[in-house]
Amino acid sequence: MRIGIDKMAFATTNDYLDLVELAKERGVDPNKFTIGIGQDLQAVVPPTQDIVTLGATAAKKLLTPELEKNISTVIVATESGIDNSKASAIYIKHLLGLSDFIRTVEMKEACYSATAAIQFAKGVVALNPQETVLVIAADIARYGLNTPGEVTQGAGAVAMLISRNPHILTLEDTTVAYSKDIMDFWRPLYATEALVDGKYSTNVYIEFFLQTFTRYQQLTGRELADFAALTFHMPFTKMGKKGLEGLLKDRNDEVAQRLRTQLTASQLFSRQVGNLYTGSLYLSLMSLLQNSDLRAKSRIGLFSYGSGAEGEFYTGILEDGYEHYMNNIQEELKHRHQVSVAEYEKLFSSQLGMNDRDIEFDVTTDPLPFVLKGQKDHQRIYEAK
């Protein structure tokens, strides 16, 4: 039985920041951001949006009444949780109007957990082939104003339906997971912004990719020539390049050139949105599929990484007509609204955060279909517009 990703959709906020403008404001050479980090634009989050509203918006693009009937499970992968107890999946299920006879859970392991969610979903479908699992990777990356990590912020959600006879990507059986207790990135319960050892984290990322890919080759006997493309977790696009070059080194044959070309295709959307944490790998996959000419039956490798640390390498086979089962991301990104650095700083500081007060936001200017109206009696209030 073939099991894999049947449909995919992406959602982000309506506002974005030009990182050249940010660089000028911070007194930094813009090339440090656009070339050194590999980012051009960054999603800016208004207080009326969070992982629930973004996740629901992405999922809404996937669903039809017929598809909803088969959903048995909703899994939200995030490291931007809104509650230490209640799963964000329950809020999303309610906003989408899904049946009450559904299991809803939230998963966490830094940027990696969406991959675990997909693997778990595959197991659910294997046991119950008539069921479909909705997996949502939703995050808001925050490092603080005028900090070294500011340029690697971002926000968005990728929603995926995992089912039998998928229309996009059939998952192959061999997968390699690798984990170690490493302090390269973490966020204590008392903090709204992450703590990161950037250079160390990059080195760990490359090590985990090489470890998992080498192990995969040992298990399967496959070579680089067997892959049409490799996709990477991209908290910033230069990270994916570092991973690929760590493998290719000075290799410059036809296979290496092809993989570098496809990497560029996979980076395009991330350059315009920024860091999605759990969704970054899957946005790079969508970028690859919408900006390249890959043919059906091509094999794609996926490297997932979450600081702390865990990595996984696995593969999938493209299906005929895969391009018809995703929303057109480039077209949607064209309609966003650019904000100034001053507006971005104001919005950044207006988030609900760790606030115990009642608060009501003005939602009239937010064009997304789901909004966070505020908080009352310690409860977040959501609305489907």
Side-chain angles (χ1 to χ4, degrees), residues 55-229:
T57 297
K60 181 180 174 67
K61 298 176 183 182
L62 295 178
L63 300 180
T64 65
E66 191 61 32
L67 288 173
E68 290 175 11
K69 295 177 183 177
N70 297 324
I71 295 176
S72 68
T73 305
V74 179
I75 307 175
V76 174
T78 187
E79 57 175 281
S80 310
I82 58 165
D83 190 285
N84 285 330
S85 180
K86 186 173 180 178
S88 54
I90 292 181
Y91 292 103
I92 292 177
K93 187 223 81 168
H94 174 72
L95 287 173
L96 294 173
L98 298 177
S99 168
D100 288 344
F101 292 98
I102 286 179
R103 96 177 38 90
T104 53
V105 293
E106 182 176 311
M107 297 182 60
K108 180 179 71 176
E109 175 25 52
C111 302
Y112 162 78
S113 59
T115 298
I118 288 173
Q119 299 297 347
F120 297 165
K122 182 181 177 183
V124 170
V125 176
L127 290 171
N128 304 282
Q130 76 282 3
E131 296 183 2
T132 297
V133 179
L134 171 59
V135 172
I136 300 171
D139 267 303
I140 295 172
R142 288 172 60 94
Y143 294 96
L145 300 176
N146 206 10
T147 63
E150 184 177 30
V151 68
T152 62
Q153 298 178 140
V158 176
M160 298 168 275
L161 293 178
I162 310 301
S163 71
R164 64 176 176 175
N165 301 324
H167 286 101
I168 296 180
L169 194 72
T170 292
L171 302 180
E172 295 189 287
D173 289 337
T174 303
T175 178
V176 178
Y178 185 78
S179 60
K180 285 185 176 182
D181 185 3
I182 291 174
M183 297 300 290
D184 61 328
F185 171 106
W186 68 102
R187 176 148 48 99
L189 289 176
Y190 53 78
T192 57
E193 282 82 45
L195 303 171
V196 59
D197 184 338
K199 185 176 182 179
Y200 178 45
S201 189
T202 297
N203 291 337
V204 174
Y205 172 101
I206 295 170
E207 176 200 345
F208 275 45
F209 169 56
L210 296 177
Q211 289 280 5
T212 56
F213 186 78
T214 299
R215 178 64 173 163
Y216 175 87
Q217 288 186 301
Q218 292 169 348
L219 293 173
T220 64
R222 293 186 181 125
E223 301 295 333
L224 275 177
D226 295 315
F227 294 90

Side-chain angles (χ1 to χ4, degrees), residues 197-376:
D197 184 338
K199 185 176 182 179
Y200 178 45
S201 189
T202 297
N203 291 337
V204 174
Y205 172 101
I206 295 170
E207 176 200 345
F208 275 45
F209 169 56
L210 296 177
Q211 289 280 5
T212 56
F213 186 78
T214 299
R215 178 64 173 163
Y216 175 87
Q217 288 186 301
Q218 292 169 348
L219 293 173
T220 64
R222 293 186 181 125
E223 301 295 333
L224 275 177
D226 295 315
F227 294 90
L230 298 177
T231 55
F232 292 83
H233 165 58
M234 291 186 194
F236 53 94
T237 63
K238 195 66 172 288
M239 185 76 100
K241 179 177 175 60
K242 288 177 182 289
L244 181 60
E245 295 303 328
L247 178 66
L248 297 179
K249 298 185 175 6
D250 58 356
R251 182 170 171 174
N252 200 34
D253 57 13
E254 184 275 333
V255 171
Q257 291 176 10
R258 183 185 74 242
L259 294 176
R260 290 186 176 106
T261 297
Q262 301 295 17
L263 176 72
T264 298
S266 74
Q267 293 172 320
L268 294 179
F269 294 157
S270 294
R271 291 189 71 97
Q272 300 176 63
V273 177
N275 193 349
L276 302 190
Y277 286 156
T278 54
S280 291
L281 168 60
Y282 299 98
L283 180 59
S284 70
L285 174 61
M286 294 182 75
S287 184
L288 171 70
L289 298 183
Q290 294 187 20
N291 293 291
S292 67
D293 56 356
L294 290 175
R295 297 181 179 181
K297 308 309 176 186
S298 295
R299 174 175 289 110
I300 297 176
L302 300 95
F303 174 62
S304 180
Y305 177 77
S307 294
E310 187 156 2
E312 184 163 343
F313 184 84
Y314 69 109
T315 58
I317 303 296
L318 275 180
E319 295 296 328
D320 287 311
Y322 65 85
E323 64 272 16
H324 301 300
Y325 294 88
M326 298 173 283
N327 64 310
N328 187 327
I329 295 177
Q330 188 59 61
E331 185 61 31
E332 293 182 7
L333 292 178
K334 291 179 182 177
H335 301 289
R336 293 184 298 170
H337 167 250
Q338 182 177 347
V339 299
S340 67
V341 174
E343 291 172 314
Y344 144 71
E345 292 177 340
K346 181 178 179 181
L347 290 170
F348 186 93
S349 302
S350 299
Q351 301 297 305
L352 185 58
M354 295 184 178
N355 195 329
D356 63 357
R357 304 193 315 269
D358 288 353
I359 188 169
E360 184 174 355
F361 297 128
D362 178 7
V363 301
T364 57
T365 60
D366 193 323
L368 270 65
F370 303 103
V371 291
L372 171 62
K373 292 186 66 177
Q375 180 172 271
K376 186 174 182 180

